[in-house]
Amino acid sequence: MAAEKASTGAGETIPLLTPYKMGKFHLSHRIVLAPMTRNRSYGYIPQPHAILYYTQRTTAGGLLITEATGVSDTAQGYPETPGIWTEEQVEAWKPIVKAVHDKGGIIFCQLWHVGRVSTYDFQPNGEAPISCTDKGITPGLDGVDWSPPRRLRTDEIPGIVNDFRISARNAIEAGFDGVEIHGANGYIIDQFIKDSVNDRTDEYGGSLENRCRFAIEVVEAVVNEIGADKVGLRLSPFADFMETPDSNPVALGVYIANAINKFNLIYFHVIEPRMVKIDGKYELPFGLHPIREVFKGTLIASSGYTRDTGNKVIADGYADLVAFGRWFLANPDLPKRFELDAPLTKYDRHTFYTQDPVIGYTDYSFLEESTST
């Protein structure tokens, strides 16, 4: 559905700032905080400084998706990332969620298992990471000596599905409005669905249907546990993050969109290809049209959007919501800046993944601060 008209008062239509009803949630605008790993959850426990980080980016009626949050002790592959598989973690999330709710925000917890994107150091008892395959990531990719994974036995896969189910229940206990199942960016679900990685010969490998079986089982288990009105799914069919290209990403995206329609998920969040060069000019490829045609629910687009391109896809009905990552990180008042068409603060890549509780985390300025100096 194309956006209703919204105006700054000077006659300018701002589609990103129009309201939208997503299931039972009445969103005040179409700008979503994208899930972004921040590496500041010491010992896999969310920390009090996350309260400030998330509330800085909260608006009444705005949707936030948390950083990727591990579903088990085998789910980890990066330092100081949060989990939600223990009672201590659930309790640590509660004040963060409450603070967002106190400002009128809506917050979903992204559920994550890295699969083979890990090393022995992150795994319990120094064991091998688990995956659909025993093919490892090229050592040295992104500067990490990735450990060779262990192929999951067929009878072990239901246990991983169950980890997602229990973590979804934990997220609701922590007060979250819902969960987003992380099926993108080269992690365990992406490893199963992509034909360049999945080399299985059982019912979880081979055909497109078999490769998607694990993803659909996770979705079904989580929906049965907490209800479809609290469940979203994120995919990156076009991407090759962590060496996970697919030979037919359009078919993959369309297949999963069709498959999840029966569950009536609250949203489908799809990462598109980033900018491509066309006739010497970088443009967004807008690859969601086939998925948009078949998926019946709310569609969230994510692909390095700007104010202008975000407004265009909402106005055209190409997507219902747009997720912003790096620009929302560096501009905690991004909706206000978009409303005023104000300058944006440039993000600093060097501080994306440090463990500092302030620098590159909660020290980005608000518009009032940056214009008063």
Side-chain angles (χ1 to χ4, degrees):
M1 178 187 295
E4 302 170 2
K5 287 190 175 181
S7 174
T8 61
E12 182 189 5
T13 298
I14 308 177
L16 282 169
L17 298 180
T18 56
Y20 179 76
K21 189 173 187 298
M22 184 184 76
K24 64 183 179 182
F25 302 107
H26 294 271
L27 305 184
S28 59
H29 56 76
R30 314 290 187 104
I31 301 163
V32 179
L33 176 68
M36 292 177 285
T37 291
R38 303 314 317 276
N39 301 100
R40 276 122 168 140
S41 295
Y42 312 138
Y44 306 142
I45 308 293
Q47 298 294 307
H49 49 244
I51 294 173
L52 180 57
Y53 173 75
Y54 283 109
T55 56
Q56 282 180 332
R57 290 155 183 80
T58 299
T59 52
L63 175 60
L64 287 70
I65 307 170
T66 72
E67 60 210 276
T69 303
V71 299
S72 72
D73 58 358
T74 67
Q76 304 301 315
Y78 297 92
E80 316 302 358
T81 52
I84 197 161
W85 72 88
T86 71
E87 186 61 32
E88 184 180 7
Q89 292 164 341
V90 171
E91 291 301 315
W93 275 115
K94 285 182 178 180
I96 302 168
V97 175
K98 181 181 184 301
V100 170
H101 286 162
D102 286 348
K103 288 190 68 174
I106 299 150
I107 184 166
F108 275 49
C109 181
Q110 190 189 60
L111 303 182
W112 185 37
H113 194 300
V114 300
R116 68 176 187 168
V117 187
S118 188
T119 67
Y120 301 131
D121 291 342
F122 289 103
Q123 295 301 307
N125 303 315
E127 297 173 357
I130 56 177
S131 180
C132 63
T133 181
D134 56 10
K135 294 187 300 183
I137 301 170
T138 300
L141 181 68
D142 286 353
V144 177
D145 187 17
W146 305 104
S147 300
R150 177 179 69 81
R151 185 193 306 267
L152 284 163
R153 300 189 312 271
T154 306
D155 65 348
E156 292 179 293
I157 293 175
I160 310 303
V161 173
N162 197 49
D163 288 337
F164 278 90
R165 180 188 66 80
I166 293 172
S167 291
R169 182 178 66 200
N170 289 346
I172 299 306
E173 181 186 339
F176 284 103
D177 297 292
V179 302
E180 176 177 281
I181 298 167
H182 194 347
N185 294 358
Y187 301 118
I188 199 164
I189 291 176
D190 208 26
Q191 292 158 31
F192 269 88
I193 67 178
K194 297 289 185 64
D195 58 11
S196 68
V197 180
N198 189 333
D199 56 357
R200 302 180 72 90
T201 57
D202 62 2
E203 60 264 41
Y204 291 95
S207 67
L208 182 57
E209 178 183 5
N210 282 357
R211 285 185 281 116
C212 294
R213 188 181 307 278
F214 173 66
I216 302 307
E217 287 180 350
V218 170
V219 169
E220 183 172 25
V222 172
V223 165
N224 288 342
E225 184 65 32
I226 66 172
D229 61 335
K230 303 180 190 71
V231 181
L233 173 67
R234 193 183 207 212
L235 286 189
S236 56
F238 306 97
D240 61 356
F241 294 111
M242 292 299 168
E243 302 179 329
T244 56
D246 191 80
S247 63
N248 194 338
V250 173
L252 174 60
V254 168
Y255 178 87
I256 290 188
N258 268 316
I260 63 176
N261 272 332
K262 67 180 179 181
F263 299 111
N264 296 313
L265 299 190
I266 195 166
Y267 67 74
F268 190 22
H269 184 180
V270 184
I271 303 173
E272 299 178 79
R274 289 207 182 273
M275 298 285 186
V276 294
K277 201 168 189 178
I278 301 174
D279 296 329
K281 183 180 179 182
Y282 283 98
E283 298 180 6
L284 284 165
F286 299 116
L288 295 190
H289 288 295
I291 293 172
R292 180 61 156 174
E293 289 175 3
V294 300
F295 184 64
K296 294 180 170 57
T298 293
L299 186 64
I300 303 178
S302 179
S303 182
Y305 281 96
T306 64
R307 180 182 187 271
D308 290 343
T309 55
N311 279 329
K312 176 175 171 53
V313 297
I314 297 299
D316 293 348
Y318 173 82
D320 300 300
L321 306 171
V322 179
F324 291 86
R326 294 163 293 174
W327 289 117
F328 215 154
L329 183 159
N331 298 271
D333 54 353
L334 189 66
K336 172 62 69 175
R337 292 186 189 239
F338 279 179
E339 177 186 351
L340 301 176
D341 198 13
L344 299 181
T345 301
K346 177 65 176 175
Y347 48 84
D348 182 359
R349 292 181 182 274
H350 295 100
T351 61
F352 281 178
Y353 305 116
T354 67
Q355 280 79 65
D356 194 285
V358 176
I359 298 173
Y361 191 58
T362 56
D363 60 343
Y364 282 107
S365 63
F366 286 75
L367 189 59
E368 295 83 358
E369 298 167 350
S370 60
T371 57
S372 63
T373 56

